[in-house]
Amino acid sequence: MDCIFCKIIAGDIPCHKVFENERVLAFLDIGPVSTGHTLLVPKKHAANLGEGSTDDAIELMKVVHQLAPAIMKATGATGYNLGMNHGVSAGQDVFHTHLHLMPRVDGLARTFVKMSPTMEELAATAEAIRREVEV
Ligand code: AMP
Ligand code: ZN
């Protein structure tokens, strides 16, 4: 199947991984709106939340609950936005279910404008998050 997130899950395309369990992979968005912007993706392909299983929908929120403290600690964030573009009308670009977790730092503008970090910057952010996950 020609799905970029399935290719990332299969390891055929690299990503800046921050966490994985049996059902979910979490990696940094390459066009983040904030430092630490993470995509949470069920490993089993479904075009959107509605087409996937209830178990995968529940698991996404479990991983948010588990991972958000580590992401906030690593990025100095004091809050975060969650977002999902479900369907073309909502602006979905990649048709494999994904939840955006966008850390927010007090005092910084809360925009949805994409930044262009270098691969080195993304790698450093991912490593900082992984360190907090392992603590
Ligand atoms: P949307 O489908 O509108 O929720 O957006 C898809 C998101 O996936 C965008 O924020 C992209 O920056 C992100 N994205 C696309 N390709 C990759 C990739 N190879 N690695 C990480 N993030 C990606
Ligand atoms: Zn897929």
Side-chain angles (χ1 to χ4, degrees):
M1 189 192 305
D2 196 21
C3 170
I4 189 164
F5 287 176
C6 280
K7 286 178 184 161
I8 287 175
I9 291 159
D12 295 337
I13 292 179
C15 72
H16 297 284
K17 180 166 93 173
V18 299
F19 174 86
E20 81 175 303
N21 66 16
E22 274 182 16
R23 299 186 85 103
V24 170
L25 175 68
F27 54 93
L28 296 184
D29 194 305
I30 43 163
V33 302
S34 64
T35 300
H37 179 165
T38 298
L39 300 176
L40 282 66
V41 176
K43 288 184 175 176
K44 187 171 173 6
H45 180 87
N48 58 49
L49 193 74
E51 289 191 10
S53 68
T54 304
D55 281 348
D56 274 348
I58 291 168
E59 189 65 25
L60 279 182
M61 202 50 80
K62 277 191 190 167
V63 174
V64 168
H65 188 257
Q66 186 179 350
L67 192 56
I71 293 177
M72 292 207 288
K73 197 151 183 216
T75 60
T78 41
Y80 57 88
N81 295 118
L82 289 179
M84 181 178 278
N85 302 323
H86 190 297
V88 177
S89 353
Q92 185 174 0
D93 285 325
V94 176
F95 291 90
H96 179 132
T97 309
H98 54 281
L99 185 60
H100 296 257
L101 192 162
M102 297 158 276
R104 296 300 188 182
V105 176
D106 235 2
L108 288 188
R110 200 166 53 249
T111 75
F112 290 92
V113 177
K114 285 180 172 295
M115 310 185 300
S116 306
T118 63
M119 286 298 132
E120 290 74 21
E121 287 167 336
L122 286 172
T125 301
E127 198 190 331
I129 294 171
R130 285 196 304 270
R131 268 203 303 273
E132 292 301 336
V133 172
E134 282 159 17
V135 167

